[in-house]
Amino acid sequence: MNVFSDLLGGFGTVLTPTYLLYATIGVTLGTFVGVLPGIGPALTIALLLPVTFSLDDPIGTFIMFAGIYYGAMYGGSTTSILLNTPGESASVATAIEGHQMARRGRARAALATAAIGSFVAGTISTLLLSLFARPVAALAVEFRAADYFALALLAMVAVTALVGRSLVRGLISLCLGLFLGLVGLDELTGQARFTFGTLELLDGIDIVVIIVGLFAIGETLHVASRLNSTPDQVAPLEPVRGGFAWLSRQDWARSWRPWLRGTAVGFPFGALPSGGADIPTFLSYTYERHRARNRAEFGKGAIEGVAGPEAANNAAFSGVLVPLLTLGIPTSATAAVMLAAFQIFNLQPGPQLFDKSPELVWALIASLYVGNVLLLALNLPLIRLWVKVLQIPRPVLYAGILVFATLGVYAASGSVTQVLIAYGIGVLGFFLRHFEFPIAPVVLGAILGPMMELQFRRTLVLSNGDLSVFVTRPLTAVLLGLVVLAVLVPYLPRIVARLRGRRAPARLAFGEDD
C-alpha cells in the first residue's frame, strides 16, 4: 500500500499545471528531435543537458528528461519506418519490417502498432518499476563499498563485452573513458592527475562536456559524414482506411501478443547491468520471426516484427531506471547521460534517494505514465506534422545541432577552453565511430570510473589493505563471478558449436543503446 500511496503523491505532483507543461515540453521536444534522421535518445538528452544549468527545479527537469527519452524513442520509430534510418541501434529491428510495410502502402499500420505497442509496454513496465523500485532500494541499503566496486565493474564490463564487434575495441573504449574520469584532483589525496599543468583541468573534465562532445558533436559528425550513403526519400503516408487507430481487426489480432511478449523481454533485460534496449529488441524480433505462422512474410513487412521490438524497446527504458534509481548504476549510454543530470543537481541516485528525495523519485515515475498518454495523443493525430520534420535539409539540420551544442557548452561553463575540449572529444568520438569502437563504454568509464576507484580504495582502507575481502564477502564474490561470466557470454555460441563439432559462429554482439 505504501507504493500506491507514494505513486498517488507522485501523480499529485505531476498533474499540476507547471509539471504537466514540463512533461508536454519534454515529449514534444523528444519526438521532434527523435524524428530527425540519425538522432537517438542519448544525443537528444545530451544536446539539451546544458539547458539544465539554467533550471533550479530538479523535479521539473527530470520530468522533462523522461518525456524527452520516451519522445525520442517514439520519434525514432517514425524515422525507421518512413525513412529506413534508425536513430539508434535499438530501432534497427523496427526498420527491417516497418519500412517494408511502408513501401507496401501500410505506413500508417506500422506507425500505429509501434505507437500503441510502446504505450502498452511503457504502461506495464512503469507499473513494474513502481512495484520493484522500493524493494530493490531497500536491498541496496545492505551494499558495502566492496559490493559497489564489484557492481560498477560488472556494469562496465558487461556493456563493454556485449556491444560492438570486438571485445578488444570495447576495452580500449572503456580505458579511454576511465582516463577521462581520472583527470583532475584525486578525491582522497588532492594530488593532480593528468592535468598537464592546465589549471582548468584541476576540477576534471565536466561530464557534460564529455557527453556533449561524444554525442552532440561526435555523433553528428559521424552521421553527417554518411549523408550520401543514407536514404532521404520519405515513404508516403497512404490514405486513411478502415479500422480502429489505423489498424484492422487482423492487425490488432497479430499485434497484441507481440506487445506483451516484447514487454516481458524488454523490462528485465533493461534492468540487468548489461541492459539497454538493443538485446531485447533483437531477441523479440528473432522470437516473433521464429514462431510466426507465415515466416516468408518476415523481411517483406510483417507487423509482428514491428510490434514486438517496439514494445521491448520501450519497456527496456523502465527497466533501465531500476538500477539507475536504486543503485546509482547506469546500464546504458542514455542512462549514463541521465546520471550526469542528477549530478548537476548534486543528487546521487541510490537507496538513499528514496528517503531523501521521495517527491522527486515518485514524480519521475508518475511522469512516465503521463508521458505515455501524451505521446499517444501527440503521435497518431499529428503524424503529418512529424513527416514534415523529416523534410528539413540535412546540412542545415546538422550544422544547427553543432551550433546549439557549442552554445550549450559555453553557456554552461563560460569557458572557451571547455568548448575546445568538447570539440576535441567530439572529433575523437567521430573517429571512434568511424573505426567501429563503441561509445557506451567511454561514457560509462568516465562516469563510473571515479566511483569505482573511490569504493575500491575505501574497501582497502576498511580492510587494512586485505584484498581477500573481495572474495570472502559472498555478495562481492558473486558480482565478480558475474563479471567473468559477462566476458564469456559473447563467446558461448562459439564454445557450444565447437563442443558439438559444428562450425563456430561469429562472436555474439549487439549494437549500443545510444
Side-chain angles (χ1 to χ4, degrees), residues 435-460:
F435 292 106
E436 298 184 349
F437 284 79
I439 299 297
V442 181
V443 181
L444 291 179
I447 291 180
L448 291 182
M451 186 268 278
M452 185 181 70
E453 180 200 20
L454 182 63
Q455 299 296 351
F456 177 77
R457 294 166 70 178
R458 184 176 293 170
T459 302
L460 292 182

Side-chain angles (χ1 to χ4, degrees), residues 17 45 97 106 152 247 286 329 380 404 461 467:
I45 297 179
E97 301 299 330
R106 304 201 65 221
L247 295 176
T286 302
I329 300 294
L380 294 182
F404 193 86
V461 170
L467 289 172

Side-chain angles (χ1 to χ4, degrees), residues 299-325:
K300 300 177 182 178
I303 195 169
E304 296 91 342
V306 180
E310 272 304 301
N313 186 9
N314 212 276
F317 172 56
S318 299
V320 164
L321 287 180
V322 174
L324 178 64
L325 294 178

Side-chain angles (χ1 to χ4, degrees), residues 392-436:
I392 297 175
R394 306 284 184 89
V396 174
L397 166 65
Y398 297 125
I401 292 176
L402 289 178
V403 170
F404 193 86
T406 305
L407 293 176
V409 172
Y410 185 76
S413 63
S415 169
V416 176
T417 303
Q418 295 294 327
V419 174
L420 294 176
I421 292 174
Y423 267 87
I425 293 174
V427 172
L428 179 62
F430 165 74
F431 282 109
L432 288 175
R433 289 302 302 266
H434 181 74
F435 292 106
E436 298 184 349

Side-chain angles (χ1 to χ4, degrees), residues 293-429:
R293 294 181 179 178
N294 185 11
R295 296 186 189 179
E297 189 178 356
F298 272 78
K300 300 177 182 178
I303 195 169
E304 296 91 342
V306 180
E310 272 304 301
N313 186 9
N314 212 276
F317 172 56
S318 299
V320 164
L321 287 180
V322 174
L324 178 64
L325 294 178
T326 60
L327 301 172
I329 300 294
T331 58
S332 71
T334 310
V337 177
M338 294 193 70
L339 178 59
F342 275 101
Q343 293 174 352
I344 290 174
F345 288 100
N346 293 319
L347 294 171
Q348 179 57 50
Q352 295 183 351
L353 186 67
F354 283 78
D355 296 325
K356 294 182 177 179
S357 305
E359 185 180 5
L360 168 62
V361 174
W362 292 104
L364 174 61
I365 294 175
S367 73
L368 301 180
Y369 294 98
V370 175
N372 258 320
V373 176
L374 290 174
L375 280 167
L376 195 62
L378 275 175
N379 274 263
L380 294 182
L382 301 179
I383 186 59
R384 290 193 175 277
L385 174 63
W386 305 125
V387 172
K388 292 291 184 183
V389 174
L390 288 172
Q391 298 172 1
I392 297 175
R394 306 284 184 89
V396 174
L397 166 65
Y398 297 125
I401 292 176
L402 289 178
V403 170
F404 193 86
T406 305
L407 293 176
V409 172
Y410 185 76
S413 63
S415 169
V416 176
T417 303
Q418 295 294 327
V419 174
L420 294 176
I421 292 174
Y423 267 87
I425 293 174
V427 172
L428 179 62

Side-chain angles (χ1 to χ4, degrees), residues 249-258 297 301-304 307:
R249 181 176 297 179
Q250 184 183 15
D251 291 333
W252 280 96
R254 294 177 59 182
S255 295
W256 71 269
R257 291 183 182 88
E297 189 178 356
I303 195 169
E304 296 91 342

